């Protein structure tokens, strides 16, 4: 029972989970799916590197597409968050700067997560491309 309580406490009070929820679960979940898909495709590409070069190149192309999709979804979520923040400012008339700053922070979380997923995938893409070039030389 204590282990379950500790596990729930770690998950619920985790700052990453808080940021994920603040950024909006819909867009953040889509970006997370793109990140996980990119990692899966990269792993599959590395596994196929020695056996099937053509499949490895296909996985590389799919990873490029999924990483770009995560990046674009991040910026789309950011723009929608900014529109929402400006709508709430318009409704209040003369808002408190803290409310405005909070809205901007939330709108930038999706862009940050999209950029993070893009960078992680790009590092893997560069390594896989380098390995494909090395394999071609041999």
């Amino acid at each position: 029972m204590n282990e379950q309580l500790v596990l729930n406490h770690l998950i619920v009070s985790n700052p990453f989970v808080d940021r994920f929820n603040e950024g909006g679960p819909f867009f953040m979940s889509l970006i997370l799916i793109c990140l996980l898909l990119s990692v899966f495709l990269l792993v599959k590409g590395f596994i196929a590197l020695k056996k099937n070069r053509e499949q490895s190149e296909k996985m590389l192309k799919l990873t490029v597409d999924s990483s770009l999709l995560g990046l674009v979804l991040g910026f789309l979520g950011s723009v929608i968050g900014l529109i929402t923040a400006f709508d709430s400012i318009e409704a209040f008339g003369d808002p408190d700067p803290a409310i405005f700053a909070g809205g901007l922070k939330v709108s930038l979380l999706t862009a940050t997560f999209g950029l993070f997923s893009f960078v992680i995938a790009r590092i893997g893409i560069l390594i896989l491309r380098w390995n494909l070039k090395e394999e071609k030389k041999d």
Side-chain angles (χ1 to χ4, degrees), residues 13-33:
S13 67
N14 190 331
F16 294 113
V17 173
D18 292 340
R19 296 289 186 224
F20 189 89
N21 289 327
E22 287 176 1
F26 178 70
F27 276 105
M28 296 294 268
S29 296
L30 290 176
I31 297 166
L32 180 62
I33 290 169

Side-chain angles (χ1 to χ4, degrees), residues 5-66:
L5 185 63
V6 169
L7 184 61
N8 284 341
H9 179 69
L10 285 174
I11 292 173
V12 172
S13 67
N14 190 331
F16 294 113
V17 173
D18 292 340
R19 296 289 186 224
F20 189 89
N21 289 327
E22 287 176 1
F26 178 70
F27 276 105
M28 296 294 268
S29 296
L30 290 176
I31 297 166
L32 180 62
I33 290 169
C34 289
L35 174 62
L36 294 175
L37 181 63
S38 295
V39 170
F40 171 76
L41 293 170
L42 281 169
V43 168
K44 198 169 176 181
F46 279 112
I47 290 172
L49 189 62
K50 297 285 182 187
K51 299 174 191 167
N52 189 351
R53 179 181 169 81
E54 191 174 296
Q55 184 183 9
S56 185
E57 289 174 352
K58 182 180 177 184
M59 294 300 113
L60 178 68
K61 290 176 185 176
L62 289 172
T63 304
V64 168
D65 292 341
S66 67

Side-chain angles (χ1 to χ4, degrees), residues 85-117:
F86 287 130
D87 281 345
S88 65
I89 289 169
E90 185 180 34
F92 280 116
D94 189 24
D96 182 28
I99 294 173
F100 185 66
L104 289 177
K105 179 187 85 167
V106 169
S107 73
L108 292 175
L109 286 171
T110 55
T112 303
F113 190 45
L115 284 167
F116 173 76
S117 67

